[in-house]
Amino acid sequence: MTTDADGILRQITEIVARELAVPAESLAADTDLRAIEGADSVRLLRVVAKVEQTWDIELDDEDVFTVSSVAELAGVVREALQVKAA
Amino acid sequence: MTAPELPWAVLADYRCFGCSPHNPHGLALEFAEHPEGLQTTFDLGRSYESYPGVVHGGLLGVVCDETMGNLIVVRTGLVAFTVSMRTRYLAPVATGRSYTCVARLGAGSAGGAGGAGGAAGSPLISATAEIIDADGVGVVSASATYRNVPFGTARERIALTNPEADRLHQALSPTPAPLPTPALSTAPAPSSTPDGPVPVEETL
């Protein structure tokens, strides 16, 4: 588990790739999560669950259903880690 | 995997909705050790559904709560009350199919009562649970915080006769997590205490 910005982005990319069964190389920071082939609401929720387990955080449902890219998800994780550390 | 000895088993008539074999309306969950915690496999029929063919989400909360709570009880030897629980539903859970719930102690589990689940000296212990289908795909995840209480405190809040309370007190003892590989040392485990459960500072 990494907590620096680059590490979070990289690890989330790996989680998305694994859960959606796509090559990590095909994903960029601004890739639209819902536009990835094979992505649906259930699979994206599994991405969120894996992210929450990985960093032991709880993301707000509002964020979960509004983030659209890997970078945005990474940003939400960073914010949650800051709240947790406060 | 072996089944841990739940302390409630010494109560001949306990009716826990989640784990008692004596409650005809309950889930009668049975637990087994898991390499990372505790697990239970269940198959809920249509008596437990919300939409046709879909298990009621509240009951999945019961399954997660039971698995996490009993994990904490068997590891610490202390009664644990649920303080808060948060459940994330990932996909519908079908009636009449087999699923497994796995509970794990929360991160930062170096301190706390029984050496598991929370900050040193705190009666609060965290745990996580996930329910997976027969293919190992997650369908529910949950996280919760529990409060361990000394037996004397628990005794005031649980309806028990004096003989039942004595039996339960004796049955409550911490059970270390099973080792992932056979132990190389023959030294005795240091976790048990001769005088019963580890005391926890009372905060209420």
Side-chain angles (χ1 to χ4, degrees):
Chain A
M1 181 186 72
T2 57
T3 55
D4 63 281
D6 289 343
I8 290 171
L9 189 65
R10 185 175 62 251
Q11 204 159 348
I12 288 178
T13 300
E14 292 168 358
I15 291 170
V16 171
R18 190 165 55 246
E19 294 296 326
L20 300 186
V22 297
E25 303 76 46
S26 69
L27 301 172
D30 61 352
T31 297
D32 183 347
L33 292 170
R34 289 167 183 78
I36 299 171
E37 186 176 355
D40 57 28
S41 61
V42 170
R43 287 187 168 195
L44 290 176
L45 274 174
R46 289 193 177 119
V47 168
V48 169
K50 188 61 68 178
V51 164
E52 291 180 323
Q53 290 166 9
T54 299
W55 282 279
D56 189 26
I57 53 175
E58 293 183 359
L59 302 183
D60 289 339
D61 290 340
E62 195 70 29
D63 291 332
V64 166
F65 288 96
T66 54
V67 293
S68 61
S69 68
V70 174
E72 285 186 19
L73 184 53
V76 168
V77 168
R78 286 199 307 275
E79 289 173 11
L81 287 171
Q82 287 169 1
V83 170
K84 185 180 172 186
Chain B
M1 286 291 172
T2 58
E5 194 71 28
L6 295 184
W8 330 116
V10 302
L11 304 175
D13 190 39
Y14 87 103
R15 304 291 182 97
C16 174
F17 179 80
C19 65
S20 169
H22 312 301
N23 185 343
H25 307 292
L27 305 183
L29 299 172
E30 295 180 355
F31 300 97
E33 292 284 359
H34 180 277
E36 299 170 11
L38 193 67
Q39 67 179 6
T40 184
T41 296
F42 62 94
D43 177 340
L44 299 178
R46 294 202 57 189
S47 295
Y48 303 100
E49 72 183 11
S50 53
Y51 296 117
V54 178
V55 175
H56 198 293
L59 294 174
L60 299 171
V62 171
V63 172
C64 291
D65 186 30
E66 280 289 311
T67 314
M68 291 186 283
N70 276 309
L71 170 62
I72 290 171
V73 169
V74 298
R75 290 289 182 268
T76 66
L78 292 167
V79 173
F81 289 103
T82 312
V83 174
S84 67
M85 187 172 85
R86 186 262 212 166
T87 310
R88 188 176 285 293
Y89 298 97
L90 309 179
V93 171
T95 55
R97 292 189 193 170
S98 180
Y99 294 87
T100 296
C101 180
V102 179
R104 301 171 175 87
L105 293 175
S109 60
S122 170
L124 300 180
I125 292 188
S126 65
T128 62
E130 66 174 337
I131 296 176
I132 56 177
D133 65 16
D135 296 322
V137 177
V139 291
V140 174
S141 68
S143 58
T145 301
Y146 294 80
R147 181 169 175 271
N148 274 138
V149 298
F151 187 77
T153 304
R155 174 74 182 88
E156 296 171 359
R157 299 173 186 179
I158 302 175
L160 296 172
T161 64
N162 286 335
E164 287 174 333
D166 290 341
R167 284 202 299 276
L168 182 58
H169 195 190
Q170 289 183 355
L172 282 162
S173 60
T175 303
L179 295 172
T181 55
L184 298 176
S185 167
T186 57
S191 59
S192 61
T193 57
D195 298 321
V198 177
V200 170
E201 182 182 351
E202 187 55 87
T203 55
L204 280 182

